[in-house]
mmCIF file of all heavy atoms in Angstrom:
data_model
loop_
_atom_site.group_PDB
_atom_site.id
_atom_site.type_symbol
_atom_site.label_atom_id
_atom_site.label_comp_id
_atom_site.label_asym_id
_atom_site.label_seq_id
_atom_site.Cartn_x
_atom_site.Cartn_y
_atom_site.Cartn_z
ATOM 1 N N LEU O 1 155.390 140.313 54.305
ATOM 2 C CA LEU O 1 154.212 139.462 54.253
ATOM 3 C C LEU O 1 153.716 139.399 55.694
ATOM 4 O O LEU O 1 154.479 139.065 56.610
ATOM 5 C CB LEU O 1 154.596 138.075 53.749
ATOM 6 C CG LEU O 1 153.491 137.098 53.452
ATOM 7 C CD1 LEU O 1 152.488 137.669 52.463
ATOM 8 C CD2 LEU O 1 154.070 135.816 52.893
ATOM 9 N N ARG O 2 152.464 139.776 55.912
ATOM 10 C CA ARG O 2 151.915 139.849 57.269
ATOM 11 C C ARG O 2 150.685 138.971 57.390
ATOM 12 O O ARG O 2 150.000 138.682 56.405
ATOM 13 C CB ARG O 2 151.552 141.290 57.626
ATOM 14 C CG ARG O 2 152.767 142.172 57.732
ATOM 15 C CD ARG O 2 152.441 143.552 58.229
ATOM 16 N NE ARG O 2 153.683 144.302 58.393
ATOM 17 C CZ ARG O 2 153.832 145.564 58.082
ATOM 18 N NH1 ARG O 2 152.817 146.266 57.613
ATOM 19 N NH2 ARG O 2 154.987 146.161 58.257
ATOM 20 N N LEU O 3 150.408 138.576 58.622
ATOM 21 C CA LEU O 3 149.217 137.789 58.924
ATOM 22 C C LEU O 3 148.907 137.934 60.396
ATOM 23 O O LEU O 3 149.699 138.493 61.150
ATOM 24 C CB LEU O 3 149.431 136.318 58.561
ATOM 25 C CG LEU O 3 150.644 135.589 59.174
ATOM 26 C CD1 LEU O 3 150.341 135.060 60.567
ATOM 27 C CD2 LEU O 3 151.068 134.460 58.273
ATOM 28 N N TYR O 4 147.749 137.456 60.774
ATOM 29 C CA TYR O 4 147.474 137.377 62.201
ATOM 30 C C TYR O 4 146.922 135.994 62.502
ATOM 31 O O TYR O 4 146.359 135.318 61.649
ATOM 32 C CB TYR O 4 146.555 138.490 62.709
ATOM 33 C CG TYR O 4 145.149 138.495 62.165
ATOM 34 C CD1 TYR O 4 144.156 137.727 62.764
ATOM 35 C CD2 TYR O 4 144.817 139.273 61.077
ATOM 36 C CE1 TYR O 4 142.865 137.735 62.272
ATOM 37 C CE2 TYR O 4 143.532 139.295 60.592
ATOM 38 C CZ TYR O 4 142.558 138.516 61.186
ATOM 39 O OH TYR O 4 141.280 138.527 60.700
ATOM 40 N N THR O 5 147.162 135.571 63.719
ATOM 41 C CA THR O 5 146.777 134.250 64.176
ATOM 42 C C THR O 5 146.444 134.342 65.660
ATOM 43 O O THR O 5 146.436 135.422 66.224
ATOM 44 C CB THR O 5 147.914 133.235 63.885
ATOM 45 O OG1 THR O 5 147.492 131.922 64.222
ATOM 46 C CG2 THR O 5 149.194 133.570 64.622
ATOM 47 N N THR O 6 146.154 133.216 66.260
ATOM 48 C CA THR O 6 145.912 133.151 67.704
ATOM 49 C C THR O 6 146.664 131.948 68.256
ATOM 50 O O THR O 6 147.276 131.191 67.507
ATOM 51 C CB THR O 6 144.407 132.983 68.034
ATOM 52 O OG1 THR O 6 144.000 131.670 67.667
ATOM 53 C CG2 THR O 6 143.568 134.030 67.332
ATOM 54 N N GLU O 7 146.573 131.766 69.546
ATOM 55 C CA GLU O 7 147.145 130.580 70.170
ATOM 56 C C GLU O 7 146.078 129.526 70.454
ATOM 57 O O GLU O 7 146.302 128.601 71.235
ATOM 58 C CB GLU O 7 147.890 130.966 71.450
ATOM 59 C CG GLU O 7 149.142 131.780 71.155
ATOM 60 C CD GLU O 7 149.933 132.139 72.388
ATOM 61 O OE1 GLU O 7 149.362 132.193 73.497
ATOM 62 O OE2 GLU O 7 151.142 132.373 72.246
ATOM 63 N N LEU O 8 144.924 129.635 69.817
ATOM 64 C CA LEU O 8 143.869 128.635 69.983
ATOM 65 C C LEU O 8 144.332 127.287 69.438
ATOM 66 O O LEU O 8 145.112 127.234 68.485
ATOM 67 C CB LEU O 8 142.595 129.095 69.262
ATOM 68 C CG LEU O 8 141.929 130.348 69.823
ATOM 69 C CD1 LEU O 8 140.778 130.786 68.923
ATOM 70 C CD2 LEU O 8 141.444 130.119 71.239
ATOM 71 N N PRO O 9 143.871 126.195 70.033
ATOM 72 C CA PRO O 9 144.316 124.859 69.618
ATOM 73 C C PRO O 9 144.143 124.567 68.128
ATOM 74 O O PRO O 9 144.992 123.906 67.527
ATOM 75 C CB PRO O 9 143.456 123.915 70.456
ATOM 76 C CG PRO O 9 143.046 124.721 71.639
ATOM 77 C CD PRO O 9 142.943 126.140 71.160
ATOM 78 N N GLU O 10 143.084 125.084 67.528
ATOM 79 C CA GLU O 10 142.865 124.798 66.114
ATOM 80 C C GLU O 10 143.856 125.500 65.186
ATOM 81 O O GLU O 10 143.884 125.237 63.987
ATOM 82 C CB GLU O 10 141.422 125.118 65.691
ATOM 83 C CG GLU O 10 140.991 126.531 65.946
ATOM 84 C CD GLU O 10 140.303 126.738 67.290
ATOM 85 O OE1 GLU O 10 140.527 125.966 68.242
ATOM 86 O OE2 GLU O 10 139.539 127.711 67.391
ATOM 87 N N GLU O 11 144.700 126.363 65.731
ATOM 88 C CA GLU O 11 145.689 127.062 64.915
ATOM 89 C C GLU O 11 147.117 126.583 65.181
ATOM 90 O O GLU O 11 148.080 127.193 64.700
ATOM 91 C CB GLU O 11 145.555 128.570 65.115
ATOM 92 C CG GLU O 11 144.202 129.049 64.617
ATOM 93 C CD GLU O 11 144.092 130.548 64.478
ATOM 94 O OE1 GLU O 11 145.116 131.239 64.375
ATOM 95 O OE2 GLU O 11 142.951 131.027 64.457
ATOM 96 N N ILE O 12 147.265 125.486 65.904
ATOM 97 C CA ILE O 12 148.597 124.960 66.220
ATOM 98 C C ILE O 12 149.379 124.621 64.958
ATOM 99 O O ILE O 12 150.534 125.009 64.806
ATOM 100 C CB ILE O 12 148.501 123.736 67.164
ATOM 101 C CG1 ILE O 12 148.045 124.188 68.553
ATOM 102 C CG2 ILE O 12 149.839 122.995 67.243
ATOM 103 C CD1 ILE O 12 147.740 123.048 69.506
ATOM 104 N N MET O 13 148.758 123.878 64.033
ATOM 105 C CA MET O 13 149.459 123.474 62.812
ATOM 106 C C MET O 13 149.871 124.707 62.005
ATOM 107 O O MET O 13 150.999 124.798 61.530
ATOM 108 C CB MET O 13 148.586 122.567 61.953
ATOM 109 C CG MET O 13 149.295 122.077 60.693
ATOM 110 S SD MET O 13 148.330 120.918 59.705
ATOM 111 C CE MET O 13 147.233 122.031 58.837
ATOM 112 N N ALA O 14 148.975 125.662 61.854
ATOM 113 C CA ALA O 14 149.289 126.870 61.094
ATOM 114 C C ALA O 14 150.453 127.625 61.734
ATOM 115 O O ALA O 14 151.372 128.068 61.034
ATOM 116 C CB ALA O 14 148.064 127.769 61.011
ATOM 117 N N ASN O 15 150.440 127.749 63.053
ATOM 118 C CA ASN O 15 151.514 128.475 63.724
ATOM 119 C C ASN O 15 152.861 127.788 63.562
ATOM 120 O O ASN O 15 153.894 128.452 63.443
ATOM 121 C CB ASN O 15 151.178 128.691 65.196
ATOM 122 C CG ASN O 15 150.146 129.783 65.375
ATOM 123 O OD1 ASN O 15 150.205 130.814 64.714
ATOM 124 N ND2 ASN O 15 149.181 129.560 66.241
ATOM 125 N N LYS O 16 152.874 126.477 63.533
ATOM 126 C CA LYS O 16 154.131 125.748 63.292
ATOM 127 C C LYS O 16 154.667 126.066 61.902
ATOM 128 O O LYS O 16 155.869 126.264 61.720
ATOM 129 C CB LYS O 16 153.917 124.246 63.458
ATOM 130 C CG LYS O 16 153.772 123.827 64.895
ATOM 131 C CD LYS O 16 153.584 122.331 65.012
ATOM 132 C CE LYS O 16 153.395 121.948 66.465
ATOM 133 N NZ LYS O 16 153.217 120.500 66.654
ATOM 134 N N ILE O 17 153.781 126.109 60.927
ATOM 135 C CA ILE O 17 154.198 126.455 59.565
ATOM 136 C C ILE O 17 154.718 127.890 59.515
ATOM 137 O O ILE O 17 155.781 128.162 58.947
ATOM 138 C CB ILE O 17 153.040 126.246 58.567
ATOM 139 C CG1 ILE O 17 152.694 124.760 58.456
ATOM 140 C CG2 ILE O 17 153.388 126.830 57.194
ATOM 141 C CD1 ILE O 17 151.409 124.471 57.704
ATOM 142 N N PHE O 18 153.989 128.815 60.127
ATOM 143 C CA PHE O 18 154.409 130.217 60.112
ATOM 144 C C PHE O 18 155.775 130.384 60.781
ATOM 145 O O PHE O 18 156.638 131.109 60.277
ATOM 146 C CB PHE O 18 153.383 131.110 60.814
ATOM 147 C CG PHE O 18 152.008 131.069 60.210
ATOM 148 C CD1 PHE O 18 150.890 131.220 61.013
ATOM 149 C CD2 PHE O 18 151.804 130.868 58.845
ATOM 150 C CE1 PHE O 18 149.611 131.194 60.473
ATOM 151 C CE2 PHE O 18 150.535 130.836 58.293
ATOM 152 C CZ PHE O 18 149.437 130.994 59.112
ATOM 153 N N ASP O 19 155.977 129.720 61.915
ATOM 154 C CA ASP O 19 157.259 129.809 62.611
ATOM 155 C C ASP O 19 158.386 129.250 61.745
ATOM 156 O O ASP O 19 159.465 129.840 61.654
ATOM 157 C CB ASP O 19 157.211 129.055 63.941
ATOM 158 C CG ASP O 19 156.307 129.724 64.973
ATOM 159 O OD1 ASP O 19 155.921 130.899 64.775
ATOM 160 O OD2 ASP O 19 155.971 129.053 65.971
ATOM 161 N N LYS O 20 158.135 128.137 61.093
ATOM 162 C CA LYS O 20 159.141 127.508 60.231
ATOM 163 C C LYS O 20 159.523 128.428 59.068
ATOM 164 O O LYS O 20 160.671 128.450 58.630
ATOM 165 C CB LYS O 20 158.606 126.178 59.696
ATOM 166 C CG LYS O 20 159.573 125.423 58.842
ATOM 167 C CD LYS O 20 158.964 124.108 58.396
ATOM 168 C CE LYS O 20 159.894 123.396 57.430
ATOM 169 N NZ LYS O 20 159.298 122.174 56.901
ATOM 170 N N LEU O 21 158.563 129.201 58.592
ATOM 171 C CA LEU O 21 158.816 130.111 57.478
ATOM 172 C C LEU O 21 159.460 131.421 57.911
ATOM 173 O O LEU O 21 159.826 132.239 57.077
ATOM 174 C CB LEU O 21 157.510 130.400 56.733
ATOM 175 C CG LEU O 21 156.935 129.216 55.967
ATOM 176 C CD1 LEU O 21 155.565 129.566 55.406
ATOM 177 C CD2 LEU O 21 157.879 128.783 54.858
ATOM 178 N N GLY O 22 159.604 131.630 59.216
ATOM 179 C CA GLY O 22 160.300 132.810 59.709
ATOM 180 C C GLY O 22 159.424 133.981 60.114
ATOM 181 O O GLY O 22 159.924 135.088 60.309
ATOM 182 N N PHE O 23 158.130 133.751 60.256
ATOM 183 C CA PHE O 23 157.252 134.825 60.725
ATOM 184 C C PHE O 23 157.538 135.105 62.196
ATOM 185 O O PHE O 23 157.677 134.183 62.989
ATOM 186 C CB PHE O 23 155.779 134.443 60.551
ATOM 187 C CG PHE O 23 155.287 134.583 59.146
ATOM 188 C CD1 PHE O 23 155.450 133.545 58.244
ATOM 189 C CD2 PHE O 23 154.674 135.747 58.728
ATOM 190 C CE1 PHE O 23 154.999 133.663 56.941
ATOM 191 C CE2 PHE O 23 154.214 135.880 57.433
ATOM 192 C CZ PHE O 23 154.382 134.828 56.531
ATOM 193 N N LYS O 24 157.625 136.386 62.522
ATOM 194 C CA LYS O 24 157.901 136.821 63.894
ATOM 195 C C LYS O 24 156.783 137.746 64.375
ATOM 196 O O LYS O 24 156.242 138.542 63.610
ATOM 197 C CB LYS O 24 159.231 137.577 63.971
ATOM 198 C CG LYS O 24 160.427 136.802 63.466
ATOM 199 C CD LYS O 24 160.774 135.666 64.381
ATOM 200 C CE LYS O 24 162.030 134.966 63.871
ATOM 201 N NZ LYS O 24 162.162 133.638 64.338
ATOM 202 N N LEU O 25 156.490 137.646 65.648
ATOM 203 C CA LEU O 25 155.493 138.498 66.275
ATOM 204 C C LEU O 25 155.960 139.948 66.245
ATOM 205 O O LEU O 25 157.097 140.242 66.592
ATOM 206 C CB LEU O 25 155.277 138.047 67.728
ATOM 207 C CG LEU O 25 154.255 138.831 68.535
ATOM 208 C CD1 LEU O 25 152.843 138.549 68.021
ATOM 209 C CD2 LEU O 25 154.368 138.462 70.002
ATOM 210 N N TYR O 26 155.080 140.857 65.790
ATOM 211 C CA TYR O 26 155.444 142.269 65.846
ATOM 212 C C TYR O 26 154.445 143.110 66.624
ATOM 213 O O TYR O 26 154.748 144.252 66.980
ATOM 214 C CB TYR O 26 155.713 142.861 64.452
ATOM 215 C CG TYR O 26 154.497 143.126 63.605
ATOM 216 C CD1 TYR O 26 153.900 144.379 63.577
ATOM 217 C CD2 TYR O 26 153.958 142.122 62.816
ATOM 218 C CE1 TYR O 26 152.793 144.626 62.782
ATOM 219 C CE2 TYR O 26 152.854 142.354 62.015
ATOM 220 C CZ TYR O 26 152.274 143.612 62.012
ATOM 221 O OH TYR O 26 151.175 143.841 61.225
ATOM 222 N N LYS O 27 153.251 142.561 66.908
ATOM 223 C CA LYS O 27 152.335 143.243 67.820
ATOM 224 C C LYS O 27 151.205 142.286 68.198
ATOM 225 O O LYS O 27 151.033 141.236 67.585
ATOM 226 C CB LYS O 27 151.781 144.536 67.226
ATOM 227 C CG LYS O 27 150.759 144.370 66.141
ATOM 228 C CD LYS O 27 150.221 145.730 65.681
ATOM 229 C CE LYS O 27 149.150 145.565 64.631
ATOM 230 N NZ LYS O 27 148.572 146.825 64.204
ATOM 231 N N LYS O 28 150.472 142.655 69.236
ATOM 232 C CA LYS O 28 149.316 141.883 69.692
ATOM 233 C C LYS O 28 148.088 142.776 69.680
ATOM 234 O O LYS O 28 148.196 143.995 69.738
ATOM 235 C CB LYS O 28 149.545 141.348 71.107
ATOM 236 C CG LYS O 28 150.636 140.312 71.208
ATOM 237 C CD LYS O 28 150.777 139.798 72.631
ATOM 238 C CE LYS O 28 151.868 138.750 72.710
ATOM 239 N NZ LYS O 28 151.947 138.168 74.064
ATOM 240 N N GLY O 29 146.943 142.148 69.616
ATOM 241 C CA GLY O 29 145.690 142.878 69.650
ATOM 242 C C GLY O 29 144.598 141.984 70.210
ATOM 243 O O GLY O 29 144.840 140.828 70.547
ATOM 244 N N ILE O 30 143.392 142.500 70.264
ATOM 245 C CA ILE O 30 142.242 141.740 70.758
ATOM 246 C C ILE O 30 141.146 141.837 69.703
ATOM 247 O O ILE O 30 140.849 142.929 69.205
ATOM 248 C CB ILE O 30 141.720 142.321 72.096
ATOM 249 C CG1 ILE O 30 142.832 142.331 73.157
ATOM 250 C CG2 ILE O 30 140.487 141.563 72.580
ATOM 251 C CD1 ILE O 30 143.263 140.973 73.644
ATOM 252 N N ASP O 31 140.534 140.700 69.360
ATOM 253 C CA ASP O 31 139.442 140.747 68.386
ATOM 254 C C ASP O 31 138.122 141.060 69.085
ATOM 255 O O ASP O 31 138.059 141.239 70.303
ATOM 256 C CB ASP O 31 139.381 139.475 67.542
ATOM 257 C CG ASP O 31 138.754 138.284 68.249
ATOM 258 O OD1 ASP O 31 138.365 138.384 69.429
ATOM 259 O OD2 ASP O 31 138.642 137.228 67.601
ATOM 260 N N TRP O 32 137.051 141.135 68.315
ATOM 261 C CA TRP O 32 135.740 141.526 68.846
ATOM 262 C C TRP O 32 135.159 140.519 69.829
ATOM 263 O O TRP O 32 134.241 140.835 70.556
ATOM 264 C CB TRP O 32 134.753 141.784 67.710
ATOM 265 C CG TRP O 32 134.681 140.653 66.736
ATOM 266 C CD1 TRP O 32 133.879 139.551 66.807
ATOM 267 C CD2 TRP O 32 135.444 140.496 65.564
ATOM 268 N NE1 TRP O 32 134.113 138.707 65.747
ATOM 269 C CE2 TRP O 32 135.079 139.270 64.958
ATOM 270 C CE3 TRP O 32 136.443 141.254 64.942
ATOM 271 C CZ2 TRP O 32 135.644 138.793 63.785
ATOM 272 C CZ3 TRP O 32 137.005 140.780 63.771
ATOM 273 C CH2 TRP O 32 136.607 139.582 63.211
ATOM 274 N N ASP O 33 135.720 139.291 69.875
ATOM 275 C CA ASP O 33 135.273 138.286 70.843
ATOM 276 C C ASP O 33 136.180 138.222 72.072
ATOM 277 O O ASP O 33 136.024 137.339 72.912
ATOM 278 C CB ASP O 33 135.228 136.900 70.186
ATOM 279 C CG ASP O 33 134.139 136.789 69.139
ATOM 280 O OD1 ASP O 33 133.050 137.362 69.347
ATOM 281 O OD2 ASP O 33 134.369 136.122 68.116
ATOM 282 N N GLY O 34 137.154 139.115 72.150
ATOM 283 C CA GLY O 34 138.069 139.131 73.287
ATOM 284 C C GLY O 34 139.232 138.170 73.161
ATOM 285 O O GLY O 34 139.966 137.955 74.117
ATOM 286 N N ILE O 35 139.425 137.596 71.981
ATOM 287 C CA ILE O 35 140.529 136.656 71.759
ATOM 288 C C ILE O 35 141.783 137.430 71.366
ATOM 289 O O ILE O 35 141.732 138.338 70.535
ATOM 290 C CB ILE O 35 140.158 135.637 70.670
ATOM 291 C CG1 ILE O 35 138.967 134.800 71.138
ATOM 292 C CG2 ILE O 35 141.351 134.745 70.310
ATOM 293 C CD1 ILE O 35 138.375 133.898 70.089
ATOM 294 N N GLU O 36 142.917 137.048 71.980
ATOM 295 C CA GLU O 36 144.168 137.717 71.670
ATOM 296 C C GLU O 36 144.642 137.348 70.267
ATOM 297 O O GLU O 36 144.726 136.174 69.921
ATOM 298 C CB GLU O 36 145.249 137.341 72.690
ATOM 299 C CG GLU O 36 146.554 138.081 72.448
ATOM 300 C CD GLU O 36 147.609 137.776 73.492
ATOM 301 O OE1 GLU O 36 147.902 136.582 73.690
ATOM 302 O OE2 GLU O 36 148.125 138.737 74.085
ATOM 303 N N LEU O 37 144.926 138.371 69.477
ATOM 304 C CA LEU O 37 145.456 138.190 68.124
ATOM 305 C C LEU O 37 146.959 138.407 68.151
ATOM 306 O O LEU O 37 147.454 139.334 68.800
ATOM 307 C CB LEU O 37 144.816 139.180 67.158
ATOM 308 C CG LEU O 37 143.314 139.064 66.975
ATOM 309 C CD1 LEU O 37 142.801 140.183 66.085
ATOM 310 C CD2 LEU O 37 142.945 137.703 66.405
#
């Protein structure tokens, strides 16, 4: 099960849930606005 997120403040709650469920970082990228994915 894969997803992408950011470290933007509005995604803090989502990232806590993802971490609790065992999601691990496997790569990074940059979106069209220059935000790190």
Side-chain angles (χ1 to χ4, degrees):
L1 188 55
R2 293 186 176 140
L3 55 84
Y4 64 86
T5 185
T6 71
E7 292 182 336
L8 295 173
E10 57 267 25
E11 296 193 21
I12 290 172
M13 182 176 79
N15 284 318
K16 286 181 182 181
I17 294 169
F18 301 147
D19 291 346
K20 182 178 175 184
L21 291 173
F23 282 86
K24 303 290 183 202
L25 180 70
Y26 75 95
K27 73 177 182 178
K28 293 182 179 184
I30 302 291
D31 78 359
W32 52 88
D33 292 323
I35 297 172
E36 183 177 55
L37 298 175

